């Protein structure tokens, strides 16, 4: 993690923004010295506002997005939008209870989700496929 933070510090001097994609926005480092905070929080503190940080990692709910924004200036949503392309509007309209949370085989045609994406999703989120 210390090597990562060194690299982040150097990159922040040259970039317009930094995008950090974690499997889970709450993920902590395997390094013993960095287990107290999430990786995203460590990176955010390191760049200290030098460039905007874009965070992503298993954002499923409005609360997840808000939690991510405590350590990033921008949040991106990926897998949840694949399962429900209307995720954003449902969150903004207060209709989170209508968000599609799992992808069932019958929905693949409607959503135009091919085998390549399904293979990716089966690795990244097998618990959300039915």
């Amino acid at each position: 993690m210390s090597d990562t933070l060194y690299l982040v510090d150097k990159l922040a001097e040259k970039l317009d923004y930094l995008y950090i994609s974690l499997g889970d926005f709450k993920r902590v480092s395997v390094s013993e010295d960095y287990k107290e905070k999430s990786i995203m929080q460590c990176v955010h503190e390191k760049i200290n506002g030098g460039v905007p940080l874009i965070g992503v990692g298993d954002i499923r709910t409005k609360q997840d997005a808000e939690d991510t924004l405590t350590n990033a200036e921008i949040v991106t949503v990926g897998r949840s939008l694949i399962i429900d392309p209307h995720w954003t509007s449902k969150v903004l309209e207060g209709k989170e209870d209508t968000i599609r949370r799992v992808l069932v085989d019958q929905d693949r045609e409607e959503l135009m989700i091919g085998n390549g994406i399904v293979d990716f999703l089966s690795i990244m989120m097998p618990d959300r496929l039915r």
Side-chain angles (χ1 to χ4, degrees), residues 59-115:
I59 310 298
R60 297 183 187 202
T61 65
K62 178 181 180 180
Q63 188 63 53
D64 289 345
E66 290 173 349
D67 290 348
T68 300
L69 288 171
T70 63
N71 292 302
E73 284 66 45
I74 301 169
V75 63
T76 58
V77 179
R79 292 173 270 170
S80 291
L81 280 170
I82 293 171
I83 293 175
D84 190 337
H86 304 288
W87 185 93
T88 305
S89 60
K90 289 177 180 180
V91 165
L92 292 174
E93 294 169 8
K95 298 178 180 176
E96 264 193 275
D97 58 320
T98 66
I99 292 174
R100 182 182 288 144
R101 305 281 181 194
V102 297
L103 179 64
V104 296
D105 285 338
Q106 294 86 345
D107 295 334
R108 287 179 53 194
E109 185 175 336
E110 171 194 345
L111 296 171
M112 296 187 286
I113 297 176
N115 291 336

Side-chain angles (χ1 to χ4, degrees), residues 44-52 73:
H44 197 240
E45 289 174 2
K46 183 65 175 179
I47 61 176
N48 194 27
V51 295
E73 284 66 45

